[in-house]
Coordinates of all heavy atoms in Angstrom, one line a residue:
M638 N 55.6 0.6 20.1 CA 57.0 0.5 20.7 C 57.1 1.5 21.9 O 56.8 2.6 21.8 CB 58.0 0.9 19.6 CG 59.4 0.9 20.0 SD 60.6 1.6 18.9 CE 60.8 0.3 17.7
S639 N 57.6 0.9 23.0 CA 57.7 1.8 24.1 C 59.0 2.6 24.1 O 60.0 2.2 23.4 CB 57.7 0.9 25.4 OG 58.9 0.1 25.5
D640 N 59.1 3.6 24.9 CA 60.3 4.5 25.0 C 61.4 3.8 25.5 O 62.6 4.1 25.2 CB 60.0 5.7 25.9 CG 59.0 6.6 25.2 OD1 58.8 6.6 24.0 OD2 58.4 7.4 26.0
S641 N 61.2 2.7 26.3 CA 62.3 2.0 27.0 C 62.8 0.8 26.1 O 63.8 0.2 26.5 CB 61.9 1.6 28.4 OG 60.9 0.6 28.3
E642 N 62.2 0.6 25.0 CA 62.7 -0.6 24.2 C 64.1 -0.3 23.7 O 64.4 0.7 23.2 CB 61.7 -0.8 23.0 CG 62.1 -2.1 22.3 CD 61.0 -2.3 21.2 OE1 59.9 -2.0 21.4 OE2 61.4 -2.9 20.2
G643 N 64.9 -1.3 23.9 CA 66.3 -1.2 23.5 C 67.2 -0.4 24.4 O 68.4 -0.2 24.2
E644 N 66.6 0.0 25.5 CA 67.4 0.8 26.5 C 68.3 -0.1 27.3 O 68.0 -1.3 27.6 CB 66.5 1.4 27.5 CG 67.1 2.3 28.5 CD 66.1 3.0 29.5 OE1 65.0 3.0 29.1 OE2 66.5 3.3 30.5
I645 N 69.5 0.3 27.5 CA 70.5 -0.5 28.3 C 70.4 -0.1 29.7 O 70.4 1.2 30.0 CB 71.9 -0.2 27.7 CG1 72.1 -0.7 26.3 CG2 72.9 -0.9 28.7 CD1 73.4 -0.4 25.7
L646 N 70.2 -1.0 30.6 CA 70.0 -0.7 32.0 C 71.4 -0.5 32.6 O 72.4 -1.3 32.3 CB 69.3 -1.9 32.7 CG 67.9 -2.2 32.2 CD1 67.4 -3.4 33.0 CD2 67.0 -0.9 32.5
K647 N 71.5 0.5 33.4 CA 72.8 0.7 34.1 C 73.0 -0.2 35.3 O 72.0 -0.5 36.0 CB 72.9 2.1 34.6 CG 73.0 3.2 33.6 CD 73.1 4.6 34.1 CE 73.2 5.6 33.0 NZ 73.2 6.9 33.6
A648 N 74.1 -0.7 35.5 CA 74.4 -1.6 36.6 C 74.3 -0.8 37.9 O 74.7 0.4 37.9 CB 75.7 -2.4 36.4
N649 N 74.0 -1.5 39.0 CA 74.0 -0.8 40.2 C 75.5 -0.6 40.6 O 76.3 -1.6 40.6 CB 73.4 -1.7 41.4 CG 71.9 -1.6 41.2 OD1 71.3 -0.7 40.6 ND2 71.2 -2.7 41.8
T650 N 75.9 0.6 40.9 CA 77.3 0.8 41.3 C 77.4 1.2 42.7 O 76.6 1.7 43.3 CB 77.9 2.0 40.4 OG1 77.0 3.1 40.7 CG2 77.9 1.7 39.0
V651 N 78.5 0.8 43.2 CA 78.8 1.0 44.7 C 79.6 2.3 44.7 O 80.6 2.5 43.9 CB 79.6 -0.1 45.3 CG1 79.9 0.2 46.7 CG2 78.8 -1.4 45.2
G652 N 79.3 3.2 45.6 CA 80.1 4.4 45.7 C 80.4 4.8 47.2 O 80.2 4.0 48.1
R653 N 80.7 6.1 47.3 CA 81.1 6.6 48.6 C 80.1 6.3 49.7 O 80.5 6.0 50.8 CB 81.3 8.1 48.5 CG 81.8 8.7 49.7 CD 82.1 10.2 49.4 NE 82.7 10.8 50.6 CZ 83.0 12.1 50.7 NH1 82.8 12.9 49.7 NH2 83.6 12.5 51.8
G654 N 78.8 6.4 49.4 CA 77.8 6.2 50.4 C 77.7 4.8 51.0 O 77.2 4.6 52.1
Q655 N 78.3 3.8 50.3 CA 78.2 2.4 50.7 C 79.5 1.9 51.4 O 79.6 0.8 52.0 CB 77.9 1.5 49.6 CG 76.5 1.6 49.1 CD 76.4 2.6 47.9 OE1 77.4 3.2 47.6 NE2 75.3 2.6 47.3
I656 N 80.6 2.7 51.3 CA 81.9 2.3 51.8 C 82.1 3.1 53.1 O 82.0 4.3 53.2 CB 83.0 2.6 50.8 CG1 82.6 2.0 49.4 CG2 84.3 2.1 51.3 CD1 82.5 0.5 49.5
E657 N 82.6 2.3 54.1 CA 82.8 2.9 55.4 C 84.2 2.5 55.9 O 84.7 1.3 55.6 CB 81.8 2.4 56.4 CG 80.4 2.9 56.1 CD 79.4 2.3 57.1 OE1 79.8 1.8 58.1 OE2 78.2 2.5 56.8
I658 N 84.8 3.3 56.7 CA 86.2 3.0 57.3 C 86.0 1.7 58.2 O 85.0 1.6 58.9 CB 86.7 4.2 58.1 CG1 87.0 5.4 57.1 CG2 87.9 3.8 58.9 CD1 87.3 6.7 57.9
G659 N 87.0 0.8 58.0 CA 86.9 -0.4 58.8 C 86.4 -1.6 58.1 O 86.5 -2.7 58.6
M660 N 85.8 -1.4 56.9 CA 85.3 -2.5 56.2 C 86.4 -3.3 55.6 O 87.4 -2.8 55.3 CB 84.4 -2.0 55.0 CG 83.1 -1.3 55.4 SD 82.2 -0.6 54.0 CE 81.4 -2.1 53.4
D661 N 86.2 -4.6 55.6 CA 87.2 -5.6 55.0 C 87.1 -5.5 53.5 O 86.0 -5.3 53.0 CB 87.0 -7.1 55.5 CG 87.4 -7.3 57.0 OD1 88.3 -6.7 57.4 OD2 86.6 -8.0 57.6
V662 N 88.3 -5.6 52.8 CA 88.3 -5.6 51.4 C 88.9 -6.9 51.0 O 90.0 -7.3 51.4 CB 89.2 -4.4 50.9 CG1 89.3 -4.4 49.4 CG2 88.7 -3.1 51.4
T663 N 88.1 -7.6 50.0 CA 88.6 -8.9 49.5 C 88.5 -8.9 48.0 O 87.9 -8.0 47.4 CB 87.7 -10.0 50.0 OG1 86.3 -9.8 49.5 CG2 87.7 -10.1 51.5
G664 N 89.3 -9.7 47.4 CA 89.3 -9.9 45.9 C 88.1 -10.7 45.6 O 87.4 -11.4 46.4
I665 N 87.8 -10.8 44.3 CA 86.7 -11.7 43.8 C 86.9 -13.2 44.2 O 86.0 -13.9 44.2 CB 86.5 -11.5 42.3 CG1 85.2 -12.1 41.8 CG2 87.7 -12.1 41.5 CD1 84.8 -11.7 40.4
D666 N 88.2 -13.5 44.5 CA 88.5 -14.9 44.8 C 88.3 -15.1 46.3 O 88.6 -16.2 46.8 CB 90.0 -15.2 44.4 CG 90.9 -14.2 45.0 OD1 90.5 -13.2 45.7 OD2 92.2 -14.3 44.8
G667 N 87.9 -14.1 47.0 CA 87.6 -14.3 48.5 C 88.9 -14.1 49.4 O 88.7 -14.1 50.6
E668 N 90.0 -13.8 48.7 CA 91.2 -13.5 49.5 C 91.2 -12.1 50.0 O 90.9 -11.2 49.4 CB 92.4 -13.7 48.6 CG 92.7 -15.1 48.2 CD 93.1 -16.0 49.3 OE1 93.9 -15.6 50.2 OE2 92.6 -17.2 49.4
R669 N 91.6 -12.0 51.3 CA 91.6 -10.7 52.0 C 92.7 -9.8 51.4 O 93.8 -10.3 51.3 CB 91.7 -10.9 53.5 CG 91.6 -9.6 54.3 CD 91.7 -9.9 55.8 NE 91.4 -8.7 56.5 CZ 92.3 -7.7 56.8 NH1 93.5 -7.9 56.4 NH2 91.9 -6.7 57.5
I670 N 92.4 -8.6 51.2 CA 93.3 -7.6 50.7 C 93.8 -6.7 51.8 O 94.9 -6.3 52.0 CB 92.8 -6.8 49.5 CG1 92.6 -7.8 48.3 CG2 93.8 -5.7 49.1 CD1 91.8 -7.3 47.1
G671 N 92.7 -6.2 52.6 CA 93.0 -5.2 53.7 C 91.7 -4.7 54.2 O 90.7 -5.3 54.1
K672 N 91.8 -3.5 54.8 CA 90.7 -2.8 55.4 C 90.6 -1.4 54.8 O 91.6 -0.7 54.5 CB 90.8 -2.7 56.9 CG 90.5 -3.9 57.6 CD 90.3 -3.6 59.1 CE 89.8 -4.8 59.9 NZ 88.4 -5.1 59.7
V673 N 89.4 -0.8 54.7 CA 89.2 0.6 54.3 C 89.7 1.4 55.4 O 89.4 1.4 56.5 CB 87.7 0.9 54.0 CG1 87.5 2.3 53.6 CG2 87.1 -0.1 52.9
K674 N 90.6 2.4 54.9 CA 91.3 3.3 55.9 C 90.8 4.7 55.7 O 90.7 5.4 56.7 CB 92.8 3.2 55.6 CG 93.7 4.0 56.6 CD 95.1 3.8 56.2 CE 96.0 4.4 57.2 NZ 97.4 4.1 56.9
E675 N 90.4 5.1 54.5 CA 89.9 6.4 54.2 C 89.0 6.4 53.0 O 89.1 5.5 52.1 CB 91.1 7.4 53.9 CG 90.7 8.8 53.8 CD 92.0 9.7 53.6 OE1 93.1 9.3 54.0 OE2 91.8 10.7 52.9
V676 N 88.0 7.2 53.0 CA 87.0 7.3 51.9 C 87.0 8.7 51.3 O 86.9 9.6 52.1 CB 85.6 6.9 52.5 CG1 84.5 7.0 51.3 CG2 85.6 5.5 53.1
R677 N 87.1 8.7 50.0 CA 87.1 10.0 49.2 C 86.0 9.9 48.2 O 85.3 9.0 48.0 CB 88.5 10.3 48.6 CG 89.5 10.5 49.6 CD 90.7 11.2 49.0 NE 91.7 11.5 50.0 CZ 93.0 11.8 49.8 NH1 93.4 11.8 48.5 NH2 93.8 12.1 50.7
E678 N 85.9 11.0 47.4 CA 84.8 11.1 46.4 C 84.9 10.0 45.4 O 83.8 9.5 45.0 CB 84.9 12.5 45.8 CG 83.7 12.9 45.0 CD 82.5 13.0 45.9 OE1 82.5 13.5 47.1 OE2 81.3 12.7 45.4
T679 N 86.0 9.7 44.8 CA 86.1 8.8 43.7 C 86.9 7.5 44.0 O 87.0 6.6 43.1 CB 86.8 9.5 42.5 OG1 88.1 9.9 42.8 CG2 86.0 10.7 42.0
E680 N 87.4 7.4 45.2 CA 88.2 6.3 45.5 C 88.3 6.1 47.0 O 87.9 7.0 47.8 CB 89.7 6.4 45.0 CG 90.4 7.7 45.5 CD 91.7 8.0 44.8 OE1 92.1 7.2 43.9 OE2 92.2 9.1 45.1
F681 N 88.8 4.9 47.5 CA 89.0 4.7 48.9 C 90.4 4.1 49.1 O 90.9 3.4 48.2 CB 87.9 3.8 49.5 CG 87.8 2.4 48.9 CD1 88.4 1.4 49.5 CD2 87.2 2.2 47.7 CE1 88.3 0.1 49.0 CE2 87.0 1.0 47.1 CZ 87.6 -0.1 47.7
L682 N 90.9 4.3 50.3 CA 92.3 3.8 50.6 C 92.2 2.5 51.4 O 91.4 2.4 52.4 CB 93.0 4.9 51.5 CG 94.4 4.6 51.9 CD1 95.3 4.5 50.7 CD2 94.9 5.7 52.9
V683 N 92.9 1.5 50.9 CA 93.0 0.2 51.6 C 94.3 0.1 52.4 O 95.4 0.3 51.7 CB 92.9 -0.9 50.5 CG1 92.9 -2.3 51.2 CG2 91.6 -0.8 49.7
D684 N 94.1 -0.2 53.6 CA 95.3 -0.5 54.5 C 95.6 -1.9 54.3 O 94.8 -2.8 54.7 CB 94.8 -0.1 55.9 CG 96.0 -0.3 56.9 OD1 97.2 -0.6 56.5 OD2 95.7 -0.3 58.1
R685 N 96.8 -2.2 53.7 CA 97.2 -3.6 53.4 C 98.3 -4.0 54.3 O 99.3 -3.3 54.5 CB 97.6 -3.7 52.0 CG 96.5 -3.3 51.0 CD 96.9 -3.7 49.6 NE 98.1 -3.0 49.1 CZ 98.8 -3.4 48.1 NH1 98.5 -4.4 47.4 NH2 100.0 -2.7 47.7
P686 N 98.1 -5.1 55.0 CA 99.2 -5.6 55.9 C 100.4 -6.1 55.0 O 100.2 -6.7 53.9 CB 98.6 -6.8 56.6 CG 97.4 -7.2 55.8 CD 97.0 -6.0 55.0
L687 N 101.6 -5.7 55.4 CA 102.8 -6.1 54.7 C 102.9 -5.6 53.2 O 103.6 -6.2 52.4 CB 103.0 -7.6 54.8 CG 103.0 -8.2 56.1 CD1 103.1 -9.8 56.1 CD2 104.1 -7.7 57.0
A688 N 102.2 -4.6 52.9 CA 102.2 -4.0 51.5 C 101.8 -2.5 51.7 O 101.2 -2.1 52.7 CB 101.3 -4.7 50.6
R689 N 102.2 -1.7 50.7 CA 101.9 -0.3 50.7 C 100.4 -0.1 50.6 O 99.7 -0.9 49.8 CB 102.6 0.4 49.6 CG 104.1 0.6 49.8 CD 104.8 1.2 48.7 NE 104.4 2.6 48.5 CZ 104.7 3.4 47.5 NH1 105.3 2.9 46.5 NH2 104.3 4.6 47.4
D690 N 99.8 0.9 51.3 CA 98.4 1.2 51.2 C 98.1 1.6 49.7 O 99.0 2.1 49.0 CB 98.0 2.3 52.1 CG 98.1 1.9 53.6 OD1 98.3 0.7 53.9 OD2 98.0 2.8 54.5
L691 N 96.9 1.4 49.3 CA 96.5 1.5 47.9 C 95.2 2.2 47.8 O 94.2 1.9 48.4 CB 96.4 0.1 47.3 CG 96.4 -0.1 45.8 CD1 97.7 0.5 45.2 CD2 96.2 -1.5 45.4
W692 N 95.1 3.2 46.8 CA 93.9 3.9 46.5 C 93.1 3.1 45.4 O 93.7 2.9 44.4 CB 94.1 5.3 46.0 CG 94.6 6.2 47.1 CD1 95.9 6.6 47.3 CD2 93.8 6.9 48.1 NE1 96.0 7.5 48.4 CE2 94.7 7.6 48.9 CE3 92.4 6.8 48.4 CZ2 94.2 8.4 50.0 CZ3 92.0 7.6 49.4 CH2 92.8 8.4 50.2
V693 N 91.9 2.7 45.7 CA 91.1 1.8 44.8 C 89.9 2.7 44.3 O 89.1 3.2 45.1 CB 90.6 0.6 45.5 CG1 89.7 -0.3 44.6 CG2 91.8 -0.2 46.1
P694 N 89.7 2.8 43.0 CA 88.6 3.5 42.4 C 87.3 2.7 42.6 O 87.3 1.5 42.6 CB 88.9 3.6 40.9 CG 89.9 2.5 40.7 CD 90.7 2.3 41.9
Y695 N 86.2 3.4 42.8 CA 84.9 2.8 43.1 C 84.5 1.9 41.9 O 83.8 0.8 42.2 CB 83.8 3.8 43.4 CG 84.0 4.5 44.7 CD1 84.1 5.9 44.7 CD2 84.1 3.8 45.9 CE1 84.3 6.6 45.9 CE2 84.3 4.5 47.1 CZ 84.4 5.8 47.1 OH 84.6 6.5 48.2
E696 N 84.8 2.1 40.7 CA 84.4 1.3 39.6 C 85.0 -0.1 39.6 O 84.6 -1.0 38.9 CB 84.7 2.0 38.2 CG 86.1 2.4 38.0 CD 86.4 3.9 38.4 OE1 85.5 4.5 39.0 OE2 87.5 4.4 38.1
S697 N 86.0 -0.3 40.5 CA 86.6 -1.6 40.7 C 85.9 -2.5 41.7 O 86.3 -3.6 41.9 CB 88.1 -1.4 41.1 OG 88.8 -0.7 40.1
I698 N 84.8 -2.0 42.3 CA 84.1 -2.7 43.3 C 83.1 -3.6 42.6 O 82.2 -3.1 41.8 CB 83.4 -1.8 44.3 CG1 84.5 -1.0 45.0 CG2 82.6 -2.6 45.3 CD1 83.9 0.1 45.9
M699 N 83.0 -4.8 42.9 CA 81.9 -5.7 42.5 C 80.7 -5.6 43.4 O 79.6 -5.6 42.9 CB 82.4 -7.1 42.4 CG 81.4 -8.1 41.7 SD 82.1 -9.7 41.4 CE 81.2 -10.6 42.6
A700 N 80.9 -5.6 44.7 CA 79.8 -5.5 45.6 C 80.3 -5.1 47.0 O 81.5 -5.2 47.3 CB 79.2 -6.9 45.8
A701 N 79.4 -4.5 47.7 CA 79.6 -4.3 49.1 C 78.6 -5.2 49.9 O 77.4 -5.0 49.8 CB 79.4 -2.8 49.5
E702 N 79.1 -6.2 50.5 CA 78.2 -7.3 51.0 C 77.9 -6.9 52.5 O 78.7 -6.3 53.2 CB 79.0 -8.6 51.0 CG 79.3 -9.2 49.7 CD 79.9 -10.5 49.7 OE1 80.3 -10.9 50.8 OE2 79.9 -11.2 48.7
G703 N 76.6 -7.3 52.8 CA 76.2 -7.1 54.2 C 76.0 -8.5 54.9 O 75.8 -9.4 54.2
H704 N 76.2 -8.4 56.1 CA 76.0 -9.6 56.9 C 75.0 -9.3 58.1 O 75.1 -8.2 58.7 CB 77.3 -10.1 57.6 CG 78.4 -10.4 56.5 ND1 78.3 -11.6 55.8 CD2 79.4 -9.8 56.0 CE1 79.3 -11.6 54.9 NE2 80.0 -10.5 55.0
G705 N 74.1 -10.2 58.4 CA 73.2 -9.9 59.5 C 73.8 -9.9 60.8 O 74.9 -10.4 60.9
D706 N 73.2 -9.2 61.7 CA 73.8 -9.2 63.0 C 73.2 -10.2 64.0 O 73.4 -10.1 65.2 CB 73.7 -7.7 63.6 CG 72.2 -7.3 63.7 OD1 71.3 -8.1 63.4 OD2 72.0 -6.1 64.1
G707 N 72.5 -11.2 63.5 CA 71.9 -12.2 64.3 C 70.5 -12.0 64.7 O 69.9 -12.9 65.3
F708 N 70.0 -10.8 64.5 CA 68.6 -10.6 64.9 C 67.7 -10.8 63.7 O 67.9 -10.3 62.6 CB 68.4 -9.1 65.4 CG 69.1 -8.9 66.7 CD1 70.3 -8.2 66.7 CD2 68.6 -9.3 67.9 CE1 71.0 -8.0 67.8 CE2 69.3 -9.1 69.0 CZ 70.5 -8.5 69.0
R709 N 66.6 -11.5 63.9 CA 65.7 -11.8 62.8 C 65.1 -10.5 62.2 O 64.6 -9.6 63.0 CB 64.5 -12.7 63.3 CG 63.5 -13.0 62.3 CD 62.4 -13.8 62.8 NE 62.5 -15.1 62.2 CZ 61.8 -16.2 62.5 NH1 61.0 -16.1 63.5 NH2 61.9 -17.3 61.8
G710 N 65.1 -10.3 61.0 CA 64.6 -9.2 60.3 C 65.4 -7.9 60.4 O 65.0 -6.8 60.0
A711 N 66.6 -8.0 61.0 CA 67.5 -6.8 61.1 C 68.1 -6.5 59.8 O 68.3 -7.3 58.9 CB 68.6 -7.2 62.1
V712 N 68.4 -5.3 59.5 CA 69.0 -4.8 58.3 C 70.5 -5.1 58.5 O 71.1 -4.8 59.5 CB 68.8 -3.2 58.1 CG1 69.6 -2.7 57.0 CG2 67.4 -2.9 58.1
P713 N 71.0 -5.8 57.4 CA 72.4 -6.2 57.5 C 73.3 -5.0 57.5 O 73.1 -4.0 56.9 CB 72.6 -7.1 56.3 CG 71.6 -6.7 55.3 CD 70.4 -6.2 56.2
N714 N 74.4 -5.1 58.2 CA 75.5 -4.0 58.2 C 76.5 -4.4 57.2 O 77.0 -5.5 57.2 CB 76.1 -3.9 59.6 CG 75.2 -3.6 60.6 OD1 74.3 -2.6 60.4 ND2 75.2 -4.1 61.8
P715 N 76.9 -3.5 56.3 CA 77.9 -3.9 55.2 C 79.3 -4.0 55.9 O 79.6 -3.1 56.7 CB 77.8 -2.7 54.3 CG 77.2 -1.6 55.0 CD 76.4 -2.2 56.1
T716 N 79.9 -5.1 55.7 CA 81.2 -5.3 56.4 C 82.3 -5.7 55.4 O 83.4 -5.8 55.7 CB 81.1 -6.4 57.4 OG1 80.6 -7.6 56.8 CG2 80.2 -6.0 58.6
D717 N 81.9 -6.0 54.1 CA 82.9 -6.4 53.1 C 82.7 -5.7 51.9 O 81.6 -5.5 51.4 CB 82.8 -7.9 52.8 CG 83.2 -8.9 54.0 OD1 84.0 -8.5 54.8 OD2 82.6 -9.9 54.1
V718 N 83.9 -5.3 51.3 CA 84.0 -4.7 49.9 C 84.6 -5.8 49.1 O 85.7 -6.3 49.4 CB 84.8 -3.4 49.9 CG1 84.9 -2.9 48.5 CG2 84.2 -2.4 50.8
V719 N 84.0 -6.2 48.0 CA 84.5 -7.2 47.1 C 84.9 -6.6 45.8 O 84.0 -6.0 45.1 CB 83.5 -8.3 46.9 CG1 84.1 -9.5 46.0 CG2 83.0 -9.0 48.2
L720 N 86.2 -6.7 45.5 CA 86.7 -6.1 44.2 C 86.4 -7.0 43.0 O 86.2 -8.2 43.2 CB 88.2 -5.8 44.3 CG 88.6 -4.8 45.4 CD1 90.1 -4.6 45.3 CD2 87.8 -3.5 45.4
S721 N 86.4 -6.5 41.9 CA 86.1 -7.3 40.7 C 87.3 -8.0 40.1 O 87.3 -8.6 39.0 CB 85.5 -6.4 39.6 OG 86.4 -5.4 39.2
I722 N 88.4 -8.0 40.9 CA 89.6 -8.7 40.5 C 90.1 -9.5 41.6 O 89.7 -9.3 42.8 CB 90.8 -7.7 40.1 CG1 91.0 -6.7 41.3 CG2 90.4 -6.9 38.8 CD1 92.3 -6.0 41.2
S723 N 91.0 -10.5 41.4 CA 91.5 -11.3 42.5 C 92.6 -10.5 43.2 O 93.2 -9.6 42.7 CB 92.1 -12.6 41.9 OG 93.3 -12.3 41.1
A724 N 92.8 -11.0 44.4 CA 93.8 -10.3 45.3 C 95.2 -10.4 44.7 O 95.9 -9.4 44.8 CB 93.8 -11.0 46.7
A725 N 95.5 -11.4 44.0 CA 96.8 -11.6 43.4 C 97.1 -10.5 42.2 O 98.2 -10.3 41.9 CB 96.9 -13.0 42.8
H726 N 96.0 -10.0 41.7 CA 96.1 -9.0 40.6 C 96.0 -7.5 41.0 O 96.0 -6.6 40.2 CB 95.1 -9.3 39.5 CG 95.5 -10.6 38.8 ND1 94.8 -11.8 39.1 CD2 96.3 -10.9 37.8 CE1 95.3 -12.7 38.4 NE2 96.3 -12.2 37.6
V727 N 95.9 -7.2 42.3 CA 95.6 -5.9 42.8 C 96.9 -5.0 42.4 O 96.6 -3.9 41.9 CB 95.4 -5.9 44.3 CG1 95.6 -4.5 44.9 CG2 94.1 -6.5 44.6
D728 N 98.0 -5.5 42.6 CA 99.2 -4.6 42.3 C 99.4 -4.3 40.9 O 100.1 -3.4 40.5 CB 100.5 -5.2 42.9 CG 100.4 -5.0 44.5 OD1 100.2 -3.9 44.9 OD2 100.8 -6.0 45.1
A729 N 98.9 -5.2 40.0 CA 99.1 -5.0 38.6 C 98.0 -4.0 37.9 O 98.1 -3.7 36.7 CB 98.8 -6.3 37.9
Q730 N 97.2 -3.4 38.8 CA 96.1 -2.5 38.2 C 96.7 -1.0 38.0 O 96.0 -0.3 37.3 CB 95.0 -2.4 39.2 CG 94.3 -3.7 39.4 CD 93.9 -4.4 38.2 OE1 93.2 -3.9 37.4 NE2 94.4 -5.6 38.0
G731 N 97.8 -0.7 38.5 CA 98.4 0.6 38.3 C 97.7 1.7 39.2 O 97.9 2.9 38.9
W732 N 97.0 1.2 40.2 CA 96.5 2.2 41.1 C 97.6 2.9 42.0 O 98.6 2.3 42.2 CB 95.4 1.5 42.1 CG 94.3 0.9 41.4 CD1 93.7 1.3 40.2 CD2 93.6 -0.3 41.7 NE1 92.7 0.5 39.8 CE2 92.6 -0.5 40.8 CE3 93.7 -1.1 42.8 CZ2 91.7 -1.5 40.8 CZ3 92.8 -2.2 42.9 CH2 91.8 -2.4 41.9
R733 N 97.3 4.1 42.4 CA 98.3 4.8 43.1 C 98.4 4.4 44.6 O 97.5 3.9 45.2 CB 98.1 6.3 43.0 CG 96.9 6.8 43.7 CD 96.6 8.3 43.4 NE 95.5 8.8 44.0 CZ 95.5 9.5 45.1 NH1 96.7 9.8 45.7 NH2 94.4 9.9 45.8
H734 N 99.6 4.5 45.1 CA 99.9 4.1 46.5 C 99.8 5.3 47.4 O 100.0 6.4 46.9 CB 101.3 3.5 46.6 CG 101.4 2.2 45.9 ND1 101.9 2.0 44.7 CD2 101.1 0.9 46.4 CE1 101.9 0.7 44.3 NE2 101.5 0.0 45.4
A735 N 99.5 5.1 48.6 CA 99.4 6.2 49.6 C 100.8 6.6 50.1 O 101.8 5.7 50.1 CB 98.6 5.8 50.7

């Protein structure tokens, strides 16, 4: 029996190092929520058009997606933060407003 048998693998988590000011924020449904306005240790601020800015905890991120810049073999630049909830349910999360 190996030491790792029965071990639960931790999911890759997105944190402060992957989030940058100006990144687009979308819900899991693909609907745009806003843009990253500020980055802190445990959360980031989303600038939302026609709504109050919202602090989103990193554990609510499903992925930080990268898009190529058109050059073959280039490292993609992350431009989107995808939350694990739909855009319609953002306000129901109880996250604090700025």
Side-chain angles (χ1 to χ4, degrees):
M638 179 188 282
S639 72
D640 291 338
S641 63
E642 188 173 328
E644 182 179 339
I645 297 174
L646 299 176
K647 291 182 180 178
N649 290 336
T650 56
V651 178
R653 184 177 184 183
Q655 291 94 352
I656 306 301
E657 298 175 9
I658 293 171
M660 293 175 80
D661 288 324
V662 180
T663 62
I665 195 169
D666 55 358
E668 291 293 318
R669 186 174 188 277
I670 295 168
K672 282 193 172 288
V673 176
K674 186 175 185 178
E675 187 176 333
V676 178
R677 293 198 177 163
E678 195 65 35
T679 61
E680 61 190 354
F681 62 99
L682 184 61
V683 178
D684 181 10
R685 301 189 300 163
L687 305 175
R689 291 179 64 192
D690 293 353
L691 195 62
W692 288 102
V693 178
Y695 292 123
E696 56 266 9
S697 300
I698 299 173
M699 187 173 111
E702 294 185 344
H704 299 286
D706 59 4
F708 294 102
R709 177 181 247 170
V712 176
N714 296 317
T716 56
D717 292 329
V718 177
V719 181
L720 301 184
S721 59
I722 58 167
S723 67
H726 291 99
V727 167
D728 286 316
Q730 301 306 304
W732 298 328
R733 65 189 183 100
H734 291 95

